[in-house]
Amino acid sequence: MTAPSFPVLRLKPKADARRIRHGHPWAWSDDLVLDRRSKAVTAGALALLEDAERQPIGIGIATVNARIGLRVLDRAPDAVIDRDWLRAKISAAHALRAALYDKPFYRLIHAEGDGLPGLIVDRFGDTLVMQPNAIWLEERLDDLSALLLEITGATTLIKNGTSRARALEELPEEMLTLAGTAPDGPLEVPMTGAIYMADVLGGQKTGLFYDQRPNHALIASLSGGARVLDVFTHVGGFALAALAAGATSALAVDASEPALALAGQGAQAMGCADRFTTRQGDAFAVMEALAAEGATFDVVIADPPAFAPSKQALDKGLRAYERVARLAASLVAEGGTLMLCSCSHAADLTKFRASCLRGIGRAGREPRLIYTGFAGPDHPVHPSLSDTGYLKALAFRL
């Protein structure tokens, strides 16, 4: 085999090379031989990963001074990571979404789930919003931009460089329009029968969360003629899907006034503003106030932010999920449905379910689990990387 033209990183003898050979896309820095030469490898540079016997494992992106020392891009040691390589990855991701959805509204690239570590791209019709959260992507931004527009046929490309992940890679925080014209207001997004308003320039993340689509559909199927409460609603999430399916009323709760305003615009666009109300404030306080008022609902959903984003925050996060479950369960009418969600990487399904059941039990309710949901197929899960399967949704009959 021809000697590589890029640096070599080697695993220590005690490192588990099989873990990576069997599919895990990361090599921890602690598992690498960090001598003078390897420590000098520039962050974001391509490098060949070898096992302790100097047998090649694959090519990846080196970040030896970080916790993750190398992210594997290709298992072939002679792979060429160039424009054609990027084209193949983006084309495969696009083909999957085109087969799944009849309208161009979806997550187009889901980082390691699509073999492109650090890259998130969401599509809103003719507008793409890209989050390049790693150095290696920043260095290939021109090729990425051109290929995304060429392959999708989109006309506008926005770079959202405001994530915390970019700060960890010492990349600048910036919001840029790389192609086309930035929208002068929120974009209408049809999904699950509803219309959502996405603020792609000033909203959370890329402006809308596509991951809950299948869970929206489950709630919609149970919402005909129902009174619905959607806590941590963001821009209308479950509430608008329920109204589209014939809910008699939907109350949306969120701490963000701008997000609730967008939710109201979505309800207006759907022609159901008369059945939609909002309450702005701390979700815990609002649920306590509703309980004090004696309010009950046929369907209650709580989709909070990540309470356990890391292992260090796990115990505190699980207690928060338990509290959400207790408060939300007390608002469900007899025979009604409660859906509880978690987007925390550190809280796996077993731990999250246990917290939910403790909270429901503390509310004095008797649950039956009727549904376990995850993110939609436009968020493919890397089988060896649990972080790509972060979303969990549990629905109970109480």
Side-chain angles (χ1 to χ4, degrees):
M1 186 182 68
T2 304
S5 59
F6 32 75
V8 174
L9 295 178
R10 191 163 61 255
L11 293 173
K12 295 176 180 176
K14 292 185 178 180
D16 185 3
R18 290 178 303 175
R19 177 180 64 88
I20 303 173
R21 288 194 187 280
H22 292 170
H24 199 286
W26 296 347
W28 307 113
S29 291
D30 288 347
D31 288 335
L32 297 174
V33 176
L34 294 179
D35 54 19
R36 179 178 54 82
R37 184 175 297 178
S38 59
K39 286 181 180 179
V41 176
T42 304
L46 288 169
L48 176 68
L49 180 66
E50 294 181 343
D51 62 19
E53 284 72 43
R54 298 184 181 272
Q55 294 300 307
I57 295 176
I59 293 175
I61 300 298
T63 48
V64 296
N65 292 322
R67 181 167 174 260
I68 301 171
L70 182 135
R71 288 175 168 83
V72 177
L73 293 181
D74 204 297
R75 303 282 161 177
D78 57 350
V80 179
I81 311 299
D82 59 5
R83 188 184 178 101
D84 288 339
W85 186 92
L86 289 170
R87 181 192 300 277
K89 292 288 185 182
I90 296 171
S91 295
H94 178 252
L96 173 63
R97 278 65 175 188
L100 289 168
Y101 304 107
D102 59 357
K103 294 180 180 178
F105 297 91
Y106 42 67
R107 171 149 294 181
L108 174 62
I109 306 288
H110 189 52
E112 279 91 349
D114 286 296
L116 291 164
L119 181 62
I120 298 294
V121 183
D122 282 344
R123 182 171 189 179
F124 305 91
D126 287 334
T127 298
L128 304 177
V129 181
M130 170 173 60
Q131 291 182 301
N133 296 328
I135 295 172
W136 81 280
L137 297 165
E138 198 75 16
E139 293 173 345
R140 294 163 175 81
L141 201 60
D142 289 346
D143 280 346
L144 279 171
S145 301
L147 289 167
L148 284 167
L149 293 168
E150 172 194 328
I151 291 166
T152 64
T155 56
T156 297
L157 176 61
I158 295 167
K159 175 188 176 183
N160 182 333
T162 62
S163 73
R164 287 178 294 179
R166 285 178 63 85
L168 296 175
E169 302 250 343
E170 299 182 351
L171 294 170
E173 182 175 313
E174 56 190 7
M175 181 78 75
L176 301 171
T177 300
L178 301 179
T181 304
D184 57 5
L187 299 174
E188 287 195 5
V189 178
M191 183 167 61
T192 325
I195 297 175
Y196 297 92
M197 309 302 287
D199 181 358
V200 298
L201 295 176
Q204 292 183 41
K205 301 293 180 69
T206 62
L208 189 72
F209 299 116
Y210 282 123
D211 52 4
Q212 289 281 16
R213 190 186 323 232
N215 306 317
H216 287 166
L218 184 279
I219 289 299
S221 70
L222 297 170
S223 293
R227 300 162 297 148
V228 176
L229 172 64
D230 182 8
V231 187
F232 305 99
T233 189
H234 189 223
V235 297
F238 289 91
L240 297 185
L243 289 172
T248 58
S249 66
L251 171 59
V253 177
D254 203 274
S256 170
E257 204 165 318
L260 288 176
L262 289 170
Q265 291 178 42
Q268 189 76 38
M270 293 165 56
C272 57
D274 58 327
R275 293 182 282 137
F276 180 70
T277 55
T278 64
R279 194 178 290 202
Q280 189 267 331
D282 174 79
F284 293 101
V286 172
M287 285 192 286
E288 288 173 345
L290 287 169
E293 295 165 16
T296 59
F297 303 84
D298 303 303
V299 178
V300 176
I301 310 100
D303 180 21
F307 287 144
S310 65
K311 290 182 179 179
Q312 292 77 14
L314 180 58
D315 288 344
K316 182 178 179 181
L318 291 175
R319 289 194 296 273
Y321 286 123
E322 180 180 333
R323 186 183 176 202
V324 168
R326 176 176 60 82
L327 293 172
S330 69
L331 298 170
V332 180
E334 185 69 25
T337 301
L338 171 64
M339 177 173 276
L340 300 168
C341 307
S342 167
C343 59
S344 292
H345 298 286
D348 64 22
L349 179 60
T350 300
K351 291 184 175 68
F352 174 60
R353 185 171 54 220
S355 288
C356 292
L357 290 172
R358 283 195 299 272
I360 293 169
R362 288 181 60 198
R365 306 302 299 273
E366 185 175 347
R368 293 294 183 270
L369 181 64
I370 61 170
Y371 172 84
T372 300
F374 305 95
D378 55 343
H379 291 64
V381 175
H382 190 297
S384 300
L385 193 62
S386 60
D387 284 10
T388 55
Y390 60 93
L391 183 65
K392 287 82 62 179
L394 302 172
F396 302 90
R397 275 291 206 208
L398 302 189

